[in-house]
């Protein structure tokens, strides 16, 4: 009879990838580093070093996990029956928020500084890879400032708190707080994105304020200090700012009805609210509410592109890390041609999304006209690609990726969100057509951008020519195709200029031999080089 096998011989854990802790997100992201140097400077890159190290740390990643496994809870009343309308968050949420504010990811860029919005965009992308949900209140705070400036007196009252580097949670009168957060509350049950169908009513008072009666169907981060909202005033749909706590210290009549049970984004509270004669201050003129709040929507749409790019990038990092440490059928996965093609294709998607997102952010610094047309197009296409990319990255981990402990299911549930918030696919694609019609100069700005690479590649030239033809006869039925072509042409042009080592593979697979699935690349693509560029621990930032 043979001797029994030692227990360790059959139960020793082998061939599992180590946790992705302690990596530097900048070191394996040559697209982000290269874009910062192209549109900013080496100083901008250097300013992100501390944030990147913290973002890749085990401590930060654990806080991201805990914030999602312990979602917020609503307290409508205190023990005595008094209405309080408070949401309680896990300590890890507050840790993430305090670090995001300290790193200047909220309203800080509006205080000025060279490449302030570009630097903030890159930092937002890196930090969002830790955990996406807390990016919502951070993003809305960033986006609120330009809308508030429609009323200088109101802006002067709130803006110093919105750019403060201090995270100061809790409901108190805004002037008594060291830092403020802002939110946005637009959609209603009957209208959704069709905000002109809103029924909330605003009644003017003698002191210049208004009382609002009505409801909002989707208000995220309800514990923020102030909210921009839309209501029907005597002069039509108007934008207002409503603080949670009034100047006299009493709580404004914003009633939190319930929290949404969402697919993902679990760390972040999204609520249904009612205005029970809540007090608000008008922003801009009566009847011009959409025009006023659209500046906030524009900035949050930019963050949707940044957030989707971040989700794509962290999913890529997890997949590339896994296949660098996992073997099957006698070889490390990353060395097997089929897997190398998948990771390389994910890398192309990430690099193209990143360079375009940061190019758009640089337009906020320069005040250029490209943003008006290119942003809704990018918001449509990049955010639409994220679920497919994250799903493919999850599959690279096999069954391990389908298990919650891997973190990949959280990324997958988060992936569709940016395509829905701030206007879902059709809304943003149709906004591309509106931009072309109402602001023809934005079309000129687009083709001026694309003209910088005219003649550099026949595939790109053909795509730009096709885009010109589509724009000439654009109809709502073709809005998605126009948005897709705008994005692909911009991505191709940017990669030709700033990442030529990646551009050929992108143009060949996106504008040439296209496939409906990821991982199908032309035979001549050097997949190993693309994989090396983006693998944590293997990549070297572009010089």
């Amino acid at each position: 009879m043979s001797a029994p096998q030692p227990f360790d011989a059959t139960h020793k854990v082998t061939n599992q990838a180590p946790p992705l802790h302690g990596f530097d997100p900048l070191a394996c992201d040559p697209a982000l580093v290269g874009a910062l140097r192209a549109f900013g400077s080496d100083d901008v890159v250097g300013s992100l070093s501390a944030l990147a190290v913290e973002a890749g740390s085990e401590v930060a990643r654990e806080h991201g996990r805990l914030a999602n496994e312990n979602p917020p809870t609503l307290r409508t009343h205190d023990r005595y029956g008094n209405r309080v309308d408070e949401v309680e968050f896990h300590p890890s949420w507050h840790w993430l928020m305090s670090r995001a504010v300290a790193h200047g990811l909220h309203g800080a860029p509006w205080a000025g500084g060279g490449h302030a919005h570009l630097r903030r965009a890159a930092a937002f992308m890196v930090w969002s890879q830790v955990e996406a949900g807390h990016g919502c209140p951070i993003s809305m705070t960033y986006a609120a400032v330009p809308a508030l400036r429609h009323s200088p007196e109101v802006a002067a009252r709130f803006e110093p708190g919105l750019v403060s580097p201090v995270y100061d949670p809790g409901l108190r009168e805004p002037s008594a707080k060291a830092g403020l957060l802002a939110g946005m509350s637009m959609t209603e049950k009957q209208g959704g994105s069709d905000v002109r169908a809103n029924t909330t009513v605003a009644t003017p008072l003698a002191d210049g304020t208004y009382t609002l009666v009505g409801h909002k169907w989707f208000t995220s981060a309800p514990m923020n200090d102030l909210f921009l909202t839309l209501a029907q005033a005597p002069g039509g749909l108007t934008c207002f700012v409503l603080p949670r706590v009034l100047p006299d210290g009493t709580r404004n009549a914003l009633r939190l009805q319930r929290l949404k049970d969402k697919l993902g984004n679990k760390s972040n509270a999204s609520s249904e609210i009612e205005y029970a004669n809540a007090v608000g201050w008008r922003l801009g003129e009566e009847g011009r509410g959409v025009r006023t709040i659209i500046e906030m929507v524009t900035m949050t749409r930019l963050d949707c592109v940044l957030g989707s790019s971040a989700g794509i990038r962290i999913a890529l990092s997890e997949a590339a890390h896994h296949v660098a440490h996992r073997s099957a059928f006698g070889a490390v996965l990353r060395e097997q041609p089929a897997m190398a093609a998948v990771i390389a294709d994910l890398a192309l998607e990430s690099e193209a999304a990143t360079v375009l997102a940061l190019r758009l952010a640089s337009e906020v610094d320069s005040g250029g006209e490209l943003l008006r047309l290119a942003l809704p197009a990018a918001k449509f296409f990049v955010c639409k690609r994220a679920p497919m990319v994250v799903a493919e990255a999850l599959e690279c981990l096999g069954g391990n990726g389908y298990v919650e402990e891997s973190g990949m299911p959280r990324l997958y549930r988060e992936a569709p969100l940016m395509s829905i918030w701030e206007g879902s696919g059709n809304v943003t694609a149709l906004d591309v057509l509106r931009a072309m019609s109402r602001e023809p100069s934005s079309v000129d700005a687009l083709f001026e951008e694309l003209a910088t690479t005219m003649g550099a590649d026949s595939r790109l030239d053909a795509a730009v020519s096709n885009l010109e033809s589509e724009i000439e006869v654009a109809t709502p039925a073709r809005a998605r195709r126009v948005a897709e072509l705008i994005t692909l042409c911009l991505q191709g042009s940017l990669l030709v200029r700033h990442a030529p080592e990646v551009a050929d593979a992108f143009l060949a697979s996106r504008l040439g031999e296209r496939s409906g699935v990821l991982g199908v690349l032309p035979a001549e693509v050097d997949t190993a080089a693309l994989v090396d560029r983006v693998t944590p621990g293997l990549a070297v930032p572009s010089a």
Side-chain angles (χ1 to χ4, degrees):
M1 181 181 292
S2 60
Q5 290 290 319
F7 182 83
D8 287 350
T10 57
H11 290 77
K12 182 179 181 180
V13 176
T14 62
N15 198 29
Q16 290 280 4
L20 183 58
H21 295 327
F23 80 108
D24 183 349
L26 284 183
C28 60
D29 198 344
L32 187 142
V33 172
L36 287 178
R37 287 177 173 154
F39 311 134
S41 66
D42 284 336
D43 289 342
V44 177
V45 177
S47 72
L48 299 181
S49 296
L51 174 144
V53 170
E54 187 171 30
S57 69
E58 182 177 0
V59 170
R61 287 166 64 82
E62 178 65 3
H63 279 300
R65 182 186 71 83
L66 288 172
N68 278 270
E69 292 194 358
N70 298 275
T73 57
L74 172 63
R75 289 179 61 241
T76 57
H77 297 77
D78 66 13
R79 59 182 290 192
Y80 305 107
N82 298 306
R83 190 96 197 194
V84 293
D85 296 293
E86 294 185 355
V87 179
E88 295 179 346
F89 292 86
H90 188 268
S92 286
W93 167 272
H94 293 297
W95 187 91
L96 292 163
M97 288 292 295
S98 67
R99 301 310 302 141
V101 171
H103 284 301
L105 309 188
H106 59 321
W110 301 106
H115 306 298
H117 295 278
L118 174 65
R119 186 234 173 246
R120 181 261 173 194
F124 186 84
M125 286 182 62
V126 172
W127 191 251
S128 293
Q129 295 175 46
V130 177
E131 197 282 321
H134 77 290
C136 174
I138 295 297
S139 173
M140 291 192 295
T141 301
Y142 169 67
V145 174
L148 284 172
R149 288 177 175 177
H150 280 267
S151 295
E153 290 184 5
V154 176
R157 177 179 164 195
F158 295 119
E159 189 171 327
L162 298 174
V163 304
S164 166
V166 178
Y167 173 59
D168 189 0
L171 292 181
R172 300 191 304 282
E173 201 279 317
S175 67
K177 299 189 68 175
L180 301 175
L181 297 170
M184 177 167 51
S185 187
M186 293 200 299
T187 59
E188 298 182 3
K189 299 182 185 74
Q190 72 284 351
S193 295
D194 184 8
V195 294
R196 296 188 187 279
N198 285 5
T199 59
T200 296
V201 175
T203 303
L205 302 179
D207 63 0
T209 62
Y210 291 69
T211 56
L212 277 70
V213 175
H215 78 279
K216 296 297 169 182
W217 187 233
F218 217 111
T219 298
S220 290
M223 286 299 287
N224 283 5
D225 299 289
L226 56 134
F227 288 85
L228 275 66
T229 192
L230 293 174
Q232 300 288 354
L237 192 65
T238 304
C239 184
F240 298 91
V241 59
L242 279 67
R244 285 295 314 268
V245 179
L246 296 171
D248 64 3
T250 61
R251 296 195 174 187
N252 208 352
L254 280 73
R255 309 303 190 208
L256 306 186
Q257 301 301 101
R258 62 174 177 168
L259 300 184
K260 300 284 192 181
D261 185 8
K262 298 171 293 187
L263 170 68
N265 202 248
K266 294 292 188 179
S267 67
N268 178 36
S270 298
S271 65
E272 298 168 20
I273 67 173
E274 289 189 356
Y275 299 139
N277 283 308
V279 178
W281 282 258
R282 178 167 51 85
L283 293 178
E285 302 174 18
E286 282 195 7
R288 298 178 69 82
V290 172
R291 182 177 290 274
T292 301
I293 208 168
I294 199 66
E295 294 195 47
M296 186 173 186
V297 173
T298 296
M299 293 298 101
T300 49
R301 281 185 173 180
L302 174 61
D303 279 3
C304 286
V305 179
L306 297 170
S308 287
S309 300
I312 289 170
R313 177 59 247 201
I314 187 58
L316 167 62
S317 292
E318 295 282 1
H321 174 74
H322 178 84
V323 303
H325 293 87
R326 180 85 164 179
S327 296
F329 309 110
V332 177
L333 286 175
R334 72 183 299 274
E335 297 172 357
Q336 300 188 30
M339 182 60 78
V342 172
I343 299 297
D345 217 359
L346 297 177
L348 290 175
E349 201 73 36
S350 177
E351 298 218 20
T354 297
V355 70
L356 176 56
L358 294 181
R359 174 66 185 91
L360 296 178
S362 73
E363 281 287 286
V364 183
D365 283 312
S366 66
E369 293 189 81
L370 180 64
L371 206 63
R372 179 62 186 94
L373 179 57
L375 179 56
K379 200 273 188 188
F380 167 80
F381 188 74
V382 173
C383 298
K384 194 67 77 176
R385 299 286 287 181
M388 177 175 67
V389 174
V390 175
E392 195 70 57
L394 182 154
E395 192 173 328
C396 291
L397 278 67
N400 288 337
Y402 201 68
V403 175
E404 286 290 342
E405 288 176 314
S406 72
M408 298 303 287
R410 168 157 61 95
L411 298 181
Y412 185 56
R413 288 191 297 270
E414 190 76 24
L417 180 59
M418 296 298 100
S419 187
I420 297 170
W421 277 2
E422 309 310 334
S424 55
N426 283 342
V427 172
T428 48
L430 291 170
D431 195 36
V432 169
L433 301 193
R434 279 190 290 272
M436 289 161 34
S437 173
R438 297 176 182 177
E439 300 179 42
S441 60
S442 65
V443 180
D444 297 335
L446 169 66
F447 284 108
E448 286 173 10
E449 179 85 6
L450 296 175
T452 59
T453 47
M454 184 180 297
D457 187 279
S458 60
R459 295 162 297 193
L460 180 56
D461 288 346
V464 172
S465 178
N466 189 11
L467 173 59
E468 290 175 330
S469 300
E470 286 281 357
I471 286 177
E472 286 179 2
V473 296
T475 65
R478 296 289 289 176
R480 287 181 171 228
R481 177 55 177 160
V482 173
E484 177 187 39
L485 266 177
I486 288 173
T487 307
L488 288 171
C489 287
L490 282 170
Q491 289 177 328
S493 177
L494 288 164
L495 290 173
V496 166
R497 280 176 274 162
H498 305 299
E501 62 272 43
V502 174
D504 185 68
F506 179 85
L507 296 173
S509 57
R510 270 63 178 176
L511 300 181
E513 179 186 317
R514 297 191 68 183
S515 172
V517 297
L518 291 162
V520 181
L521 294 174
E524 65 273 14
V525 171
D526 185 351
T527 57
L530 291 171
V531 173
D532 286 349
R533 279 171 61 86
V534 300
T535 301
L538 294 179
V540 177
S542 57

